[in-house]
Amino acid sequence: MGHIINLTTYKDSRGILTVLDRVVDFEIKRLFYIYAVDDSDRGGHRHHNTYQAAICIKGSCKITNNDGHKTEIFDLDTPEKCLILEPNDWHVMHSFTEDAILLVLASTAFDPKDYIYEPYENTL
C-alpha cells in the first residue's frame, strides 16, 4: 500500500534544503514531472513492475490510491512529503493547484506493457 515518507529537511535563514538520500528502495530508471494541469485527473492505472515515489515540489495535489483492499487519499501539500507507490497501487492524481509541480521517480523505464488500466472493483 502507498505510504508517506517525511523527507529530511534543513531550514535556516538562507532557505530550505530537502534531501532524497537513500529514501527509495529501488534504482531510479525514470524521472518525470507533471505541471500546468487543469481540473483533469492524471494516472488512473497501476503497474506490473514499477515502483514510484511522488513529491509535489511546488503547490499541492492529492493522490487517491487503492491496493485492491483499501482506498486512501494522500495530500501532497509540501515538498517534504514523498509518497511511495507500489506496483499494485492503482492511483489517480487530482486536485492540482494552479502552480503544482509533481515530481515522480520510477523504478523502470517507460513500457506501455507495464500499465494496468482496469481499476479494482472497490476503487472510488
Side-chain angles (χ1 to χ4, degrees):
M1 178 66 167
H3 61 279
I4 293 285
I5 295 174
N6 292 309
L7 301 174
T8 302
T9 300
Y10 303 94
K11 300 176 185 182
D12 66 24
S13 61
R14 301 169 296 164
I16 303 170
L17 171 70
T18 299
V19 180
L20 267 82
D21 188 10
R22 300 179 189 163
V23 172
V24 296
D25 290 335
F26 56 82
E27 183 179 346
I28 299 166
K29 300 280 181 111
R30 179 171 44 125
L31 180 141
F32 60 92
Y33 45 98
I34 301 168
Y35 61 102
V37 179
D38 56 15
D39 60 352
S40 300
D41 291 345
R42 301 297 307 250
H45 60 265
R46 57 189 164 109
H47 295 275
H48 291 287
N49 300 304
T50 303
Y51 287 81
Q52 297 180 335
I55 305 160
C56 198
I57 58 174
K58 185 173 183 186
S60 67
C61 69
K62 296 181 186 304
I63 299 181
T64 299
N65 186 64
N66 182 304
D67 68 354
H69 304 285
K70 178 181 176 184
T71 298
E72 192 168 355
I73 299 174
F74 296 94
D75 191 7
L76 297 182
D77 56 357
T78 172
E80 296 174 22
K81 288 182 184 177
C82 176
L83 175 61
I84 302 298
L85 295 168
E86 297 178 4
N88 65 328
D89 290 331
W90 194 89
H91 56 281
V92 176
M93 299 163 265
H94 57 92
S95 303
F96 287 82
T97 58
E98 189 175 301
D99 62 340
I101 302 173
L102 180 65
L103 172 66
V104 181
L105 315 173
S107 66
T108 62
F110 176 75
D111 179 358
K113 293 182 223 149
D114 186 47
Y115 287 70
I116 302 168
Y117 291 100
E118 296 80 25
Y120 295 110
E121 287 185 23
N122 62 347
T123 300
L124 296 177

